[in-house]
Amino acid sequence: MDPYEPLPSHRFSFGLWTVGNAGRDQFGEPTRHPVDPCDSVRRLGELGVYGVSLHDNDLVPIDASPAERDLLFRRFRMALEHSGLRVTMVTSNLFSHAVFKDGAFTSNDSMVRRFAIQKSMRSIDLAADLGASVYVLWGGREGTEVEAAKPTLDALDRYKEALDFLCEYVHDRGYEIRLAIEPKPNEPRGDIFLPTVGHALAFINRLEHPEMVGVNPEVAHETMAGLNFGHAVAQALWAEKLFHIDLNSQRIGRFDQDLRFGQENLKEAFLLVRLLENAGYDGPRNFDAHALRVEDENGVWDFAKGCMRTYLLLADRVRSFESDSRVIEAIGATGASDLGRPTVGTYTRETAGALASEEFDLEALAARGYANERLDQLLIEHLLGV
Amino acid sequence: MDPYEPLPSHRFSFGLWTVGNAGRDQFGEPTRHPVDPCDSVRRLGELGVYGVSLHDNDLVPIDASPAERDLLFRRFRMALEHSGLRVTMVTSNLFSHAVFKDGAFTSNDSMVRRFAIQKSMRSIDLAADLGASVYVLWGGREGTEVEAAKPTLDALDRYKEALDFLCEYVHDRGYEIRLAIEPKPNEPRGDIFLPTVGHALAFINRLEHPEMVGVNPEVAHETMAGLNFGHAVAQALWAEKLFHIDLNSQRIGRFDQDLRFGQENLKEAFLLVRLLENAGYDGPRNFDAHALRVEDENGVWDFAKGCMRTYLLLADRVRSFESDSRVIEAIGATGASDLGRPTVGTYTRETAGALASEEFDLEALAARGYANERLDQLLIEHLLGV
Amino acid sequence: MDPYEPLPSHRFSFGLWTVGNAGRDQFGEPTRHPVDPCDSVRRLGELGVYGVSLHDNDLVPIDASPAERDLLFRRFRMALEHSGLRVTMVTSNLFSHAVFKDGAFTSNDSMVRRFAIQKSMRSIDLAADLGASVYVLWGGREGTEVEAAKPTLDALDRYKEALDFLCEYVHDRGYEIRLAIEPKPNEPRGDIFLPTVGHALAFINRLEHPEMVGVNPEVAHETMAGLNFGHAVAQALWAEKLFHIDLNSQRIGRFDQDLRFGQENLKEAFLLVRLLENAGYDGPRNFDAHALRVEDENGVWDFAKGCMRTYLLLADRVRSFESDSRVIEAIGATGASDLGRPTVGTYTRETAGALASEEFDLEALAARGYANERLDQLLIEHLLGV
Amino acid sequence: MDPYEPLPSHRFSFGLWTVGNAGRDQFGEPTRHPVDPCDSVRRLGELGVYGVSLHDNDLVPIDASPAERDLLFRRFRMALEHSGLRVTMVTSNLFSHAVFKDGAFTSNDSMVRRFAIQKSMRSIDLAADLGASVYVLWGGREGTEVEAAKPTLDALDRYKEALDFLCEYVHDRGYEIRLAIEPKPNEPRGDIFLPTVGHALAFINRLEHPEMVGVNPEVAHETMAGLNFGHAVAQALWAEKLFHIDLNSQRIGRFDQDLRFGQENLKEAFLLVRLLENAGYDGPRNFDAHALRVEDENGVWDFAKGCMRTYLLLADRVRSFESDSRVIEAIGATGASDLGRPTVGTYTRETAGALASEEFDLEALAARGYANERLDQLLIEHLLGV
């Protein structure tokens, strides 16, 4: 049996919009046909996938009649049942329709803001109907190209107001749903509010129900700004706020590429898998990426299989790395285990006094090597499967 | 009288290390002579500056004897008195000495961590002695090039431990000092922990005394990662955490340039001055920059004067912009004032129910223009002094 | 009379695709209605514009019948005549249709490559018909996300083959048309071939008819990679290859923003206008930008007027800067005029021998200041209209 | 025997400044002791290295007396002899001394420019003495922070003048030496002239002796600007101008990191090794990198061994990739081999006429998939040693 064969127990999920991506981009028309969500579900089920995530409008067009909505919904539930997949996450599309061009929760038009909250309530209902436990908010249109036209302090007030309202709604309806903010630095707006995992975590702390809201970091988004994604995910874990995660790959300083997991930055991907597996993250490993525009339908499934296979290969490399005695010894030489021990402990006047008069041999401390090159070379070799 | 002449009431301050910068860089030797801090203070006083900020070792070398320390300290207090300047901020140099090569509060060596806390306690004492009300922490060496050698979760624990200890120390000593974290994405480390204002704000929320700790955003640092500095400062203000600010300029995606305020990104500088002045920020406007390496001593003072003059010119442009009736009308056309009004108000089952059944004319809402081009063009013209 | 009123003598041109941009982006649907090219021409004429530039398919859809083509063409010529505008540049759309997903001249499919050359020949015919003297080639799809799938050496051979063929075609048809390559680093491809002005200039030197081919630098494209656009344009001028120029603005390290000229980087815009005006560049000042997506139709014209007005304002600031005696003196202090004089002249054994034994007082030379801060501050103040 | 043991036949070389790097950085003091070049040579010889490269001042301080120079030189030749290493490349340090703060060949001070040429002549003599066949020019100080202080057209004239003079000098002295320009986008200057491989190639074409001058691309330098290094090296090969290469690694959009080869961007490193090996590049594989600042002396040699070992491991992976029948088949499916065949051949009126009337089935051509995902996944798996 192939040890890298995906199984539902691996908890892989795909957005409907990922395998359904038709290849349209800023400069070109679609290269693939639209895909029926039910077909995607069926096919993903065959591949060993655990779940699907979706925007409301991946399933039901924004202008569908109630009857159409019900029909689409019924067909989709059936497809889920047949495939054995569950819906792991739902989100609301607050960015495609022209109505959101100036923002959704932070549009300068209060009617648009009201519509955005209404649409979100309905998407939360959908999440509850479909059994999703996470509801993601990506504020792709919340931002500016012209700062003078949108006072940031007011925008943050409105953003908070919307999330506070939605938290109360979830609570009032008795839903078992947690919210997760997905940060992104820019694109489609010149500058998006809550541009990084850090800004989102800081924002959450000012909400009325911070305990209900976490983050959904995406590899490509932090990477666009050249930030270290592993550090960001670790800080989210440290704050107990990693509610969901979007996996893909990306080059720094480029448009949003949404590449196959592992296509770029294999080492960062390895370190990310290591972090998630070692931290016991038990949410879905959600792929938010799409096949390259040059692919036909076969390429879409090559892409999907590749995402999962690379994750499993890297998880395997992580295990070999962790258990290699040379690695254990090399980690020891870096002093990393010492970092797990308190430096001074809790403050007392006595510990402070003792520390104040402690003497240090700076030259000796400065002479110590931390052996990072050696450990990193071992890591590279494990990655290369040597 | 020159309306752009700096006065102490403008609250400009300079780091001793800025006008004292000798022009050494990664690839070249110093181009200017070392400067006596007392000379800097005297000269800054003549220019109408309000205060100076400093690292402990800007004043007292790390290996000075107690007698040398006292002498240097006494001379410096005298220079301050003569010049009328105050010390607005103190920080500890936890990055230059080789002992900190693997980090200070997050070094893998616990003795280095202890030394870093001791050195910080002494710098806090110095801040108290000099009457500074803000103590800044820039963790330039807290980070990684080799992630496997420094577990991020442990590093964040140690970082927190150090700050919690220092907060207790400040409290225990009865000092009226607030702490401010200065984030930076990278350089000198490949990836620095707490890379942005957002990450620092999020971190502060996990401390034992979050009320004592804020941020010290620096233009160059957020800009290196291509993030919008105005948005970051606004989020800090929104969180009531703007305890200090470092002004300079920088191109995106480059090494840390620390250019003269306004040298790059004049529009962002305008928007920043507007934000600070309108928000009533009353802390020092601290310049953390230095003259270009091609300058001799005269150029250093051209640089210092230029920083302040450009700030005052921009403040003037802000006032003309704010009071121009065409601008007021153009801001109206963007709908910005509507953003200051609640969207839905506090949640009740009734407001939620009403919203759920509200009908929206999406086509009409989507057809509305937000007139950002017009406002932005007016802003550009005010900037150009038309 | 408004001194900043655009006149045809200012040689401003706009792409049909710029004022005709409907606001669709990677994440959202159009926000404006399609525009009839004839209406654009009429309106631009009223604004004092000199010319229009266009892709073949801005005028004639790719699937138009010959009769439709003729009708559209006839109407367009009439609109040009009525408005007094000329066509300053023509290019071929080799990127929108799905057929070009893997490249045009460098597609892995030879039939696509042949079609791309045929389409270019027809666009060149169109350029000749419309009296355009420049034909631009933007190879937006010539590039890779997966390098192993497209050998770069072969791709460069094919790129050269196509350009050599088209040069011969122009020559054979007796057209008075020069070709200009428009470089771009990435987007829509992960990495585009000939990513910068430098790479394009180097490529041209390997063509069979280098004298027929130059470059069309675009502000946004060099800026995406953080390169200095002024330096790039200067190198093109130095190589006598600045055949056309695309003006707009952009933040470093972001998706292709195509912002209003001067919206970002006002100082760089000033330096660019100064370079073009002082170098006597006499081609069109072509705006390749578009109104923000939040604008309605009125905003489109605010955008277009703003582009030209800012150019003229900056040209005015350039003149005031050049003629200010303080600036002239400050430039003198930088030593810039010395740079115009030969260092050693032509090599002879004697001059080399003399130089070999020359003695230099390094300390004295190193002590000299170059007074860049002072000049730059004056420039900033001219920009601010002080 | 270890198949990844470096041998002189692998043609690895190291800069003296790389293993000799003392760990000083912009924010910190050295962390390691200075190294005697003779010790470096001896140690590198033991590791199986082929050659060393050097700046004049790596060997002889800028202020050494003739007697000191001769002594140092004699000892160095002896060390080379004993170790069996050769000098593969020499360059001149035109950036460390304060005299070069405004540039070397393009300084605004003609005396500095003359000194820079004299120093280069002496370094070329040194290259000839040491038997190096390549002389590299890295113009780290040739650039600007304040464009108005340095007219780019004049700067390019002076740059050309210096290189023309040095070419004549080499020729006149009968040296068998080729020159190679090493481009870099920024750091230490805000913007460096000839920022990329492309700009350097274009510049060379304007020299009096273009045949004597090529490029020395460095991984970190193109990568800083986010450009594709493999594409740049390929374009240099295509122009027959790859005279030397500097290997290391780097993250996009950061300060110059000079990391161990393969530490970052393993896939790009694989593609680079593949390109060099397949193109038959027979120059030295020169490592221009240094051990992390946290390393002691042992770490320096871990670093050096790691650079070579990773190169050899990747070369091995390249061979396995090339010979895997699944890969060969997958490359076939991308159509890559078709790209090696002419599209239209040489222009004749007949071929043009035939092409003009050719009919294309666009829908069929657009429907084709190019199977890039599949090939890339195979590449990733070869990299992972599956």
Side-chain angles (χ1 to χ4, degrees), chain C residues 200-345:
Chain C
L201 290 172
F203 175 76
I204 290 166
N205 279 299
R206 309 279 296 178
L207 298 178
E208 299 306 315
H209 292 285
E211 74 286 355
M212 294 177 69
V213 187
V215 289
N216 176 38
E218 175 171 328
V219 177
H221 294 180
E222 302 298 290
T223 303
M224 285 171 69
L227 298 176
N228 184 308
F229 188 66
H231 285 187
V233 172
Q235 190 169 350
L237 283 165
W238 190 70
E240 298 169 54
K241 286 297 186 195
L242 187 68
F243 286 8
H244 196 264
I245 191 160
D246 277 354
L247 303 175
N248 54 20
S249 72
Q250 169 77 25
R251 291 250 180 104
I252 294 172
R254 268 180 181 59
F255 67 99
D256 189 5
Q257 297 184 289
D258 279 343
L259 300 168
R260 194 178 76 252
F261 183 65
Q263 178 165 350
E264 302 286 335
N265 307 323
L266 208 51
K267 185 183 176 184
E268 283 87 340
F270 169 90
L271 289 164
L272 177 61
V273 170
R274 185 178 180 231
L275 179 66
L276 293 176
E277 298 297 319
N278 289 354
Y281 169 75
D282 64 356
R285 278 77 176 146
N286 188 57
F287 297 105
D288 181 2
H290 54 76
L292 295 166
R293 193 170 172 269
V294 295
E295 302 299 319
D296 60 15
E297 200 205 341
N298 291 327
V300 171
W301 301 107
D302 290 338
F303 148 80
K305 284 185 279 187
C307 285
M308 295 187 284
R309 191 167 159 83
T310 298
Y311 190 101
L312 293 173
L313 283 163
L314 290 171
D316 188 66
R317 290 288 179 278
V318 166
R319 282 186 296 269
S320 79
F321 180 74
E322 301 284 358
S323 61
D324 180 343
S325 59
R326 294 170 311 158
V327 168
I328 292 164
E329 202 262 318
I331 288 179
T334 68
S337 58
D338 186 79
L339 195 63
R341 284 191 283 273
T343 305
V344 284

Side-chain angles (χ1 to χ4, degrees), chain A residues 40 63 95 112 119 160 200 230 233 238 301 340 345 357 368:
Chain A
S40 294
D63 54 359
F95 48 89
V112 174
K119 192 167 192 289
K160 174 183 183 322
V233 172
W238 191 69
W301 301 107
S357 57
R368 170 181 179 175

